Amino acid sequence: MTLLLHLLLRRTPIGWLQLMHNRMRLVAAVAGIAFANLLVFVQLGVVASMNSVIYLTYTPFRTDIMISAPSPQLFGGALLSRRIIYMALADPGVADATALHLGSMEWKRPGGMSKVLIVYGMAPEAGAFAGDTITDQQLAMLALPNRVLLDSEFKDVGKDGSDMAIKQLSPETPLEFEINGHAVSAVGSFKLGSGFGYDGALFMSDQTFQRLIPERTSGTLSHVLVQLKPGADPALAVRRLNERLKSEHVQVRTAAQMIADDVNYMNTEAPMGIIFGIGVFIGIFVGLVIVYQVLATDVAAHMKEYATFKAMGYPHRFLLGIVFEEALIIAFLGFMPGVLLGSGVYQVMAMATDLPLGMTPGRALTVLAGTFVACALSGSLATLRLRRAEPAELF
Amino acid sequence: MMSRGEPSIRLESVNHWFGAGETRIQAIFDASLSIERGSLTILRGPSGSGKTTLLTLMGSLRKVQEGSIRLLGQELRGASQRSQEALRRRLGFIFQAHNLHESLTARQNTLMGLQVHGPGGDAARQNAAVIHILEVLGLGARIDYLPEKLSGGQKQRVAIARALVSNPEIVFADEPTAALDKDAGLHVVRMLKALGRTRGTSTVIVTHDTRIIELADRIITVEDGRLLPG
Ligand SMILES: Nc1ncnc2c1ncn2[C@@H]1O[C@H](COP(=O)(O)OP(=O)(O)O)[C@@H](O)[C@H]1O
Ligand SMILES: [Mg+2]
């Protein structure tokens, strides 16, 4: 290491030797960075998994444009009137439009536990609007009343005593259960997975949806899904539809824009997103403070030696170089355990929560780069004290 | 650059003050003097008379406030930071405290005196020069020791090695024998005197050691900030 740094710096690696000489200081700094990295990794991981969960909630359907109540979230907007479908269909660029019903239901499990399921309801005839995770065959089965598809990632079925693997659900081997006081029959599965605030999902026909949630009459719906004619410009269509539906209190967006709004809302406005954003900030702050503290102490402890270097004719930037050398070494040595701990915590969290969590090379590199920047920043703050290294005071 | 006959250091009417406003006090009064190339000059005088102030002014470690100081042919008054740094690299300082870097060995500390001239030096030659000077100073068996493993006198000798390894044109020392035992101090000063003869190295030492004073080419007495004739 000393030799490597020697070749790299083309001088004696004073910063490295100094750090190695004060092991306690080095250990404190490295532990501080590792801890800060771990905090940031956990926060970023959770935020990324929240975001990927948001993407997942859009996978059961396929659409070019969504007409919704003004809300950034897929779940949570006010209900719309059915007539909006017909108003949309009048647009020359629109090929087809259909209703998407969204809701949530509680599934009471044996032993008093209850699970929250999000529910998608859609007309089985509107097959072009179903997502890739749902087959035409399944849609056809849903045309019969009280038939549903169960989220294949839902983890709690085996404990029911039925001991049924969800992926083997079929019309011949269905899973019968009661939800909202209605008996339903799961005749197949589709892939979604749990997220924040729900444990799994159901997909069903609009008719079944309205039967299970009677207050949702056929006159109301959550979103209007719109598919455009081939070659139609989505941006233009959005503008036209917004114009046409001006008096309806709705928001017309491309599906991509809707997802972007949803993710952005989660990250910047939803309490959970804000908490985790603050967590990242705290992690960075902790790292900055620890590294500054260590480097500033180190600078103070070597003031006379630094003044001596100045008397020998070393320029100020040479002293800056030593402090930066230390800062970058601390960053690198702290990142190593930080990224390992982060990966470990991801695994534990993924097992405990079923959230899609894992270390990605991109995130690791981002955090490494951020650590370098933060350490360099702390380093440059610590070098302010170097101005006090005054060679005239040495005699 | 310095012409042949020009002195190593020339002071003309130098005044120096410390502090500002009400508390401003003058430490140096109208000092003028020349120090010839290759000479060994002793500064002496009572404590607080201004010896150290004079030394740091001559060594370009302090800004010249009034008057003129020419060091190795260059005016120090109003000199830029860069040209001051360049000048310092041609000087050797021996401080009262050794100020060695605790995490560097005797060899690495001494090497700092050479590496100041920039990267790209011949590493083998530099290393040989470092070992040579440490041996001359009786530290041949301590080359790869950290300062904490050295006695006070040995540390001071490493500091001297660091000051001398780059063959400075002028050596400044402020009571260097304080931390050295007398014989070692005398040995170093004899070395400096020999360097004056062979290489033209000038030496300015603040000391009260009478055995060193005997070796001086010139003795300057400072009293209350003034240079006494003699
Ligand atoms: N940094 C300083 N700030 C204020 N006064 C100083 C400073 N350095 C020296 N002095 C004053 O200048 C005078 C000369 O000091 P100095 O050059 O250290 O004397 P000597 O080295 O001969 O003992 C003394 O009165 C001292 O108090
Ligand atoms: Mg003094």
Side-chain angles (χ1 to χ4, degrees):
Chain A
M1 184 79 180
T2 306
L3 196 70
L4 182 78
L5 285 169
H6 202 138
L7 291 173
L8 220 66
L9 295 165
R10 308 224 292 151
R11 63 165 167 81
T12 308
I14 300 168
W16 164 248
L17 294 169
Q18 205 159 285
L19 286 173
M20 289 303 283
H21 194 76
N22 285 300
R23 294 288 168 93
M24 283 312 290
R25 216 175 269 166
L26 178 62
V27 167
V30 166
I33 292 300
F35 175 70
N37 273 346
L38 179 61
L39 265 180
V40 171
F41 272 127
V42 169
Q43 314 296 339
L44 289 182
V46 171
V47 168
S49 100
M50 288 191 317
N51 293 347
S52 70
V53 165
I54 290 174
Y55 286 108
L56 283 179
T57 57
Y58 285 81
T59 54
F61 57 90
R62 180 190 0 227
T63 183
D64 294 326
I65 286 171
M66 294 178 77
I67 304 172
S68 323
S71 161
Q73 292 180 290
L74 182 61
F75 290 81
L79 296 177
L80 304 182
S81 158
R82 198 159 185 90
R83 70 171 174 278
I84 290 170
I85 297 179
Y86 305 109
M87 295 171 82
L89 282 169
D91 184 274
V94 171
D96 198 3
T98 193
L100 175 66
H101 303 273
L102 298 174
S104 68
M105 295 178 189
E106 251 178 79
W107 184 5
K108 292 226 163 40
R109 311 291 294 143
M113 284 277 283
S114 82
K115 294 281 172 180
V116 178
L117 299 176
I118 51 172
V119 184
Y120 296 82
M122 196 191 274
E125 316 83 75
F129 287 93
D132 293 335
T133 50
I134 291 152
T135 65
D136 290 342
Q137 258 176 319
Q138 288 179 320
L139 280 173
M141 298 186 309
L142 294 181
L144 293 172
N146 296 341
R147 300 266 172 112
V148 301
L149 301 179
L150 182 58
D151 176 8
S152 63
E153 303 295 299
F154 186 70
K155 286 287 185 330
D156 207 36
V157 172
K159 296 171 200 158
D160 199 9
S162 63
D163 215 20
M164 162 92 64
I166 301 178
K167 287 188 179 102
Q168 270 139 41
L169 289 176
S170 73
E172 293 74 42
T173 54
L175 176 68
E176 314 274 355
F177 58 99
E178 198 169 291
I179 192 159
N180 269 16
H182 293 267
V184 293
S185 169
V187 294
S189 68
F190 72 111
K191 191 167 182 292
L192 193 83
S194 62
F196 290 88
Y198 63 92
D199 306 301
L202 292 176
F203 190 94
M204 59 189 67
S205 73
D206 49 351
Q207 309 263 330
T208 304
F209 186 95
Q210 278 147 15
R211 196 164 301 127
L212 294 185
I213 311 180
E215 61 270 28
R216 294 288 195 89
T217 60
S218 61
T220 62
L221 50 90
S222 301
H223 300 268
V224 175
L225 306 182
V226 175
Q227 274 171 0
L228 297 175
K229 289 177 179 156
D233 178 351
L236 274 178
V238 165
R239 210 172 323 144
R240 279 198 311 267
L241 287 168
N242 262 324
E243 183 63 26
R244 185 183 295 274
L245 298 168
K246 214 161 44 189
S247 57
E248 294 295 325
H249 239 75
V250 295
Q251 195 171 2
V252 183
R253 281 170 286 201
T254 60
Q257 185 58 50
M258 172 84 214
I259 295 174
D261 285 355
D262 206 341
V263 166
N264 185 48
Y265 175 82
M266 186 60 152
N267 291 346
T268 61
E269 276 171 73
M272 186 122 56
I274 291 172
I275 286 169
F276 284 105
I278 289 172
V280 171
F281 184 77
I282 289 174
I284 293 169
F285 186 74
V286 165
L288 278 173
V289 167
I290 291 175
V291 172
Y292 171 76
Q293 203 51 47
V294 165
L295 290 179
T297 311
D298 196 67
V299 166
H302 294 96
M303 206 53 97
K304 275 187 170 284
E305 288 94 316
Y306 289 142
T308 307
F309 285 147
K310 276 194 177 173
M312 290 165 70
Y314 281 99
H316 190 71
R317 64 165 191 282
F318 176 80
L319 309 186
L320 298 185
I322 295 176
V323 177
F324 277 117
E325 178 192 335
E326 293 187 312
L328 297 187
I329 289 170
I330 290 171
F332 189 70
L333 292 184
F335 172 78
M336 287 303 175
V339 73
L340 284 178
L341 284 171
S343 309
V345 169
Y346 281 165
Q347 274 180 14
V348 173
M349 281 175 72
M351 277 192 308
T353 63
D354 292 338
L355 288 174
L357 264 170
M359 184 64 72
T360 62
R363 193 179 308 142
L365 282 178
T366 306
V367 170
L368 177 61
T371 307
F372 275 133
V373 171
C375 285
L377 196 68
S378 289
S380 40
L381 282 178
T383 59
L384 293 179
R385 294 192 175 194
L386 282 175
R387 299 263 165 218
R388 286 193 224 144
E390 179 48 66
E393 303 305 328
L394 284 169
F395 284 110
Chain B
M1 278 293 107
M2 196 165 100
S3 62
R4 276 211 160 265
E6 189 167 357
S8 292
I9 310 170
R10 187 164 62 200
L11 279 72
E12 271 173 55
S13 312
V14 171
N15 289 298
H16 198 84
W17 291 266
F18 286 109
E22 297 266 296
T23 59
R24 185 163 125 127
I25 53 156
Q26 190 162 2
I28 301 294
F29 295 83
D30 194 31
S32 297
L33 97 120
S34 283
I35 287 173
E36 298 311 316
R37 198 164 168 267
S39 67
L40 172 61
T41 304
I42 303 288
L43 286 180
R44 67 173 181 188
S47 172
S49 58
K51 305 180 296 294
T52 297
T53 306
L54 210 53
L55 202 72
T56 51
L57 279 167
M58 294 192 290
S60 79
L61 299 182
R62 224 179 250 299
K63 267 201 158 53
V64 181
Q65 295 170 345
E66 202 176 290
S68 153
I69 300 180
R70 287 183 74 78
L71 177 66
L72 295 168
Q74 272 175 259
E75 178 57 55
L76 289 182
R77 177 118 177 247
S80 71
Q81 187 67 31
R82 274 180 77 122
S83 61
Q84 262 183 308
E85 280 162 7
L87 268 175
R88 286 179 196 166
R89 280 177 226 139
R90 298 165 65 190
L91 312 174
F93 291 98
I94 301 169
F95 305 97
Q96 273 171 307
H98 56 81
N99 296 332
L100 294 179
H101 224 273
E102 57 168 3
S103 54
L104 303 183
T105 62
R107 181 207 303 266
Q108 289 166 330
N109 264 297
T110 310
L111 207 50
M112 294 306 295
L114 284 176
Q115 288 182 344
V116 71
H117 297 285
D122 177 346
R125 274 244 304 269
Q126 289 188 342
N127 198 36
V130 165
I131 291 175
H132 174 72
I133 189 112
L134 287 172
E135 278 170 350
V136 167
L137 288 163
L139 293 162
R142 294 282 184 278
I143 284 173
D144 289 313
Y145 281 49
L146 288 173
E148 64 201 19
K149 293 275 162 38
L150 298 174
S151 73
Q154 286 169 337
K155 279 189 268 207
Q156 189 63 15
R157 275 183 275 155
V158 175
I160 291 168
R162 179 177 62 183
L164 301 185
V165 70
S166 59
N167 293 318
E169 292 165 66
I170 310 175
V171 175
F172 293 97
D174 196 347
E175 308 192 37
T177 46
L180 281 177
D181 58 89
K182 296 259 169 179
D183 288 334
L186 206 57
H187 172 64
V188 169
V189 177
R190 284 213 182 93
M191 236 178 84
L192 289 169
K193 194 161 165 78
L195 283 174
R197 274 196 305 274
T198 56
R199 295 184 198 266
T201 309
S202 312
T203 303
V204 183
I205 306 182
V206 175
T207 187
H208 295 99
D209 187 330
T210 47
R211 286 191 295 170
I212 291 176
I213 292 175
E214 278 168 23
L215 296 171
D217 297 313
R218 183 167 175 206
I219 300 161
I220 296 169
T221 308
V222 188
E223 252 183 54
D224 293 332
R226 291 183 171 83
L227 308 185
L228 299 189

